[in-house]
Amino acid sequence: FVALQRRDRPQVETALGALARLHTRGHTVDWAALFTGTTATVTDLPTYPFQHQNYWLDSISPGARSTGGPGLTATGHPLLKTAVGLADGKGAVLTGRLALHTHPWLADHRVGGTVTLPSAAMTELAVRAGDETGCPGIADLTVGTPLTVPESGGVQVQASVGPADADGHRRITISSRPDRDDPGAPWQVHATGLLTEAAPAPMVSLGTWPPPGAAPAGLDGFYRRLDEKGCTHGPAFQGLRALWQRGEELFAEVELPDGTDPDAFGIHPALLDAALHPLLAAGQDTAGLSWHGFHLHAVGPRSLRVWIRPRGEDAFRLWLADETGEPVAEARALRRPVTPARRLDGAADGSLFHLVWSPVGLPDPEDLTATRWAVLRDTPPDGLGHRVENVADAAGDVLVALLGTAAGDDAADAAHRSTVRALELVQEALAAGTSRLVLVTENAVATHDGEDVDPGSAPVWGLVRSAQVENPGRIMLIDTDGSPASAGQLSAALASGHDQLALRAGRASTPRLAGARPAGVAGAEPEPGDAVPVPAPEGTVLVTGGTGALGALFARHLVTAHGVRHLLLLSRRGP
């Protein structure tokens, strides 16, 4: 009994062995008296042949790790059970142990017959580690080598979070190693990324369901077909219940099976994995997707409404909502991995890019949530929101500020005034705790060739883009053409979730990078709309940052590879 209390395995085995020998020699052992005062109960032996499994629970086996101890904190998370803050206060390490007898639902996700942790589980680990360090958002998370779980025994998991950089971001590394008595066993890195602060919930509602214009898609035999391809999804991971399609957009309902408890998770990995199944149903490959701009706005959901929208050739945007349409989570980009073949293809064509404005859809007015718009202007647009006199009056609201220049203003003076005003608004809104600042300009950007640009408003976009990078999710830019049709779409633009948007005749577009074909490459004749970045030798090439190391290398390349003879190298501080 004393040995049991101390969890001293050798002494317990010795004591039980001695009692067993007494029993086999005809002596009567009073087992009930032996275990009086303990939680021991009588258990029937199995009626089937004995399996070769350990009798002792892992909680008292030498290879197990306690959740208590000096400096260790129990997290209450099913996958990362303990956390320890680093002595210098600049990071933390969270640890856990995965095994099929402690997490039996993991056995329902197999690739090629091997139990594999889905990338959605890596996302959950990163969010939980971020909670511990004040950075629960994921700026980016790249999943590399899959994390496999053995059929017997377990695997140790570690999420290591580094110190905050100048922007408040923290590096995260997720690793594992076999759970055995070998402190020198190497760790295998499975995911790396960058954590960031929490972002406000997106101004998108999925309250109208199914979405207008979405056509149902059949799911008969979906999981059976995945199984035939070697990607087995057992009952715990068969969460896709319904699927709709509208053009290239996908809408779905996913749900955890009965008996699965989501409460201890931010979002259960099986549920988040099911939110990606619409892509599989549409023939897309989700293996190795990297997560960018992932933010969790509600915890412990049992079911989700899913909206997936393509974002360029190799990326998707993901919105998750509860059964009422309220935001649960979002991923601003899910990107496919770049294969070696594609990297070589990119190198062959020069890997050059140029900016294009791509059309995007706007939310239906009936789907817009009742968001409080606060408009900072003497005369707010009709129906857009309530008027406020200063930034402080809009604390907690979405603040909309319209920046414009008067006809006849000197371009240089107007540019100075608009950028100074934009900077003041950004600083005041961030300091006042405004949920989001939306700056609306007019004709500040050109969305197509030949479009006139207001030089008094254009610098605002250059300034605010830098502020957006430093404050993700807090600032939005909208440029209009001043037409009544565009004014009528302003509310939908505000709720679109895009960081940068242009409205032209009521139609919306957003800036994206597109591949540009360089001149002089065989088989790469430029087509209409393609950029030709290298000018004729008699032209002058302007290189910003041209006196730095990279600028100098690029300048030399222009001369030696493309015959450029006139260069203008600019720098803020250099010679």
Side-chain angles (χ1 to χ4, degrees):
F1 177 59
V2 172
L4 282 172
Q5 280 187 318
R6 295 176 178 173
R7 293 190 174 185
D8 189 330
R9 176 177 175 175
Q11 287 190 23
V12 172
E13 290 179 336
T14 301
L16 291 178
L19 291 171
R21 286 191 296 273
L22 288 173
H23 178 72
T24 58
R25 293 175 184 175
H27 295 278
T28 299
V29 178
D30 190 350
W31 296 102
L34 175 65
F35 293 102
T36 299
T38 73
T39 59
T41 58
V42 177
T43 303
D44 292 334
L45 290 174
T47 57
Y48 52 85
F50 288 99
Q51 296 174 330
H52 296 285
Q53 292 182 346
N54 293 333
Y55 174 80
W56 292 94
L57 296 177
D58 285 335
S59 59
I60 58 174
S61 69
R65 299 292 179 262
S66 170
T67 58
L72 296 179
T73 303
T75 64
H77 193 271
L79 304 182
L80 295 174
K81 291 183 176 294
T82 61
V84 57
L86 302 184
D88 57 8
K90 295 182 178 180
V93 176
L94 288 82
T95 61
R97 181 179 184 272
L98 304 182
L100 296 188
H101 68 276
T102 57
H103 304 82
W105 53 273
L106 290 176
D108 285 348
H109 190 273
R110 296 174 181 267
V111 178
T114 301
V115 178
T116 305
L117 200 68
S119 65
M122 295 289 184
T123 304
E124 168 69 13
L125 296 179
V127 170
R128 181 60 190 87
D131 284 336
E132 198 72 22
T133 55
C135 287
I138 297 177
D140 62 76
L141 185 71
T142 300
V143 181
T145 305
L147 194 161
T148 59
V149 181
E151 297 293 336
S152 62
V155 60
Q156 299 174 21
V157 179
Q158 183 184 95
S160 176
V161 182
D165 61 19
D167 298 323
H169 297 157
R170 294 176 180 268
R171 289 283 174 190
I172 182 171
T173 303
I174 300 175
S175 312
S176 77
R177 68 177 180 182
D179 185 30
R180 56 175 181 259
D181 294 326
D182 182 7
W187 290 89
Q188 172 70 57
V189 176
H190 300 285
T192 58
L194 194 66
L195 302 178
T196 186
E197 296 178 351
M203 294 173 287
V204 173
S205 172
L206 298 182
T208 302
W209 198 259
L219 292 174
D220 292 342
F222 168 60
Y223 286 108
R224 176 182 53 79
R225 292 192 296 272
L226 290 182
D227 193 8
E228 293 172 351
K229 295 178 180 179
C231 190
T232 303
H233 290 71
F237 284 85
Q238 293 184 7
L240 183 58
R241 298 288 181 263
L243 179 64
W244 296 268
Q245 191 164 5
R246 185 175 66 190
E248 294 185 341
E249 296 176 290
L250 298 172
F251 303 88
E253 289 178 358
V254 297
E255 185 180 21
L256 285 174
D258 294 338
T260 304
D261 184 10
D263 292 341
F265 293 91
I267 182 169
H268 197 289
L271 187 64
L272 185 55
D273 183 70
L276 302 182
H277 293 179
L279 291 173
L280 294 175
Q284 302 286 348
D285 184 12
T286 63
L289 282 177
S290 59
W291 300 71
H292 302 267
F294 181 81
H295 294 277
L296 190 62
H297 307 297
V299 299
R302 173 165 289 280
S303 62
L304 294 172
R305 293 177 178 178
V306 182
W307 180 14
I308 300 176
R309 188 172 68 188
R311 187 173 182 178
E313 180 183 356
D314 296 312
F316 307 91
R317 184 151 190 176
L318 174 71
W319 285 275
L320 305 178
D322 62 17
E323 61 274 8
T324 67
E326 291 301 307
V328 170
E330 65 173 323
R332 297 188 177 180
L334 296 170
R335 300 190 187 281
R336 292 194 187 99
V338 179
T339 63
R342 286 175 55 206
R343 280 197 296 264
L344 290 174
D345 290 344
D349 67 15
S351 298
L352 296 173
F353 299 88
H354 67 293
L355 191 69
V356 296
W357 286 83
S358 301
V360 294
L362 294 177
D364 190 277
E366 296 180 357
D367 296 338
L368 300 181
T369 57
T371 306
R372 284 175 53 86
W373 312 114
V375 181
L376 192 67
R377 194 182 185 190
D378 292 338
T379 308
D382 293 339
L384 180 61
H386 64 284
R387 171 175 162 268
V388 294
E389 296 296 334
N390 52 61
V391 174
D393 294 339
D397 293 345
V398 176
L399 176 63
V400 183
L402 291 89
L403 301 177
T405 59
D409 280 356
D410 178 76
D413 291 342
H416 280 96
R417 286 195 300 271
S418 62
T419 50
V420 169
R421 182 55 177 154
L423 180 60
E424 291 173 346
L425 289 171
V426 168
Q427 293 173 333
E428 293 174 9
L430 294 176
T434 303
S435 65
R436 203 174 196 199
L437 172 65
V438 183
L439 296 178
V440 181
T441 59
E442 186 173 316
N443 297 320
V445 295
T447 61
H448 57 270
D449 291 341
E451 185 177 11
D452 292 333
V453 172
D454 176 13
S457 298
V460 171
W461 276 64
L463 171 72
V464 178
R465 281 194 188 108
S466 299
Q468 286 179 323
V469 173
E470 298 170 357
N471 302 274
R474 298 290 305 277
I475 308 170
M476 181 180 185
L477 280 168
I478 299 178
D479 189 66
T480 75
D481 57 359
S483 67
S486 296
Q489 290 290 346
L490 195 53
S491 292
L494 291 170
S496 67
H498 291 283
D499 291 330
Q500 299 172 20
L501 207 66
L503 293 173
R504 297 294 184 265
R507 296 184 175 87
S509 59
T510 191
R512 290 173 178 163
L513 290 177
R517 300 178 181 180
V521 177
E525 283 298 319
E527 298 178 358
D530 281 344
V532 182
V534 179
E538 63 274 10
T540 299
V541 177
L542 169 67
V543 182
T544 57
T547 64
L550 293 178
L553 288 173
F554 184 64
R556 179 178 294 275
H557 174 75
L558 289 173
V559 173
T560 58
H562 299 285
V564 173
R565 289 294 173 263
H566 302 278
L567 292 162
L568 177 57
L569 310 182
L570 298 187
S571 173
R572 288 179 296 174
R573 293 184 299 270

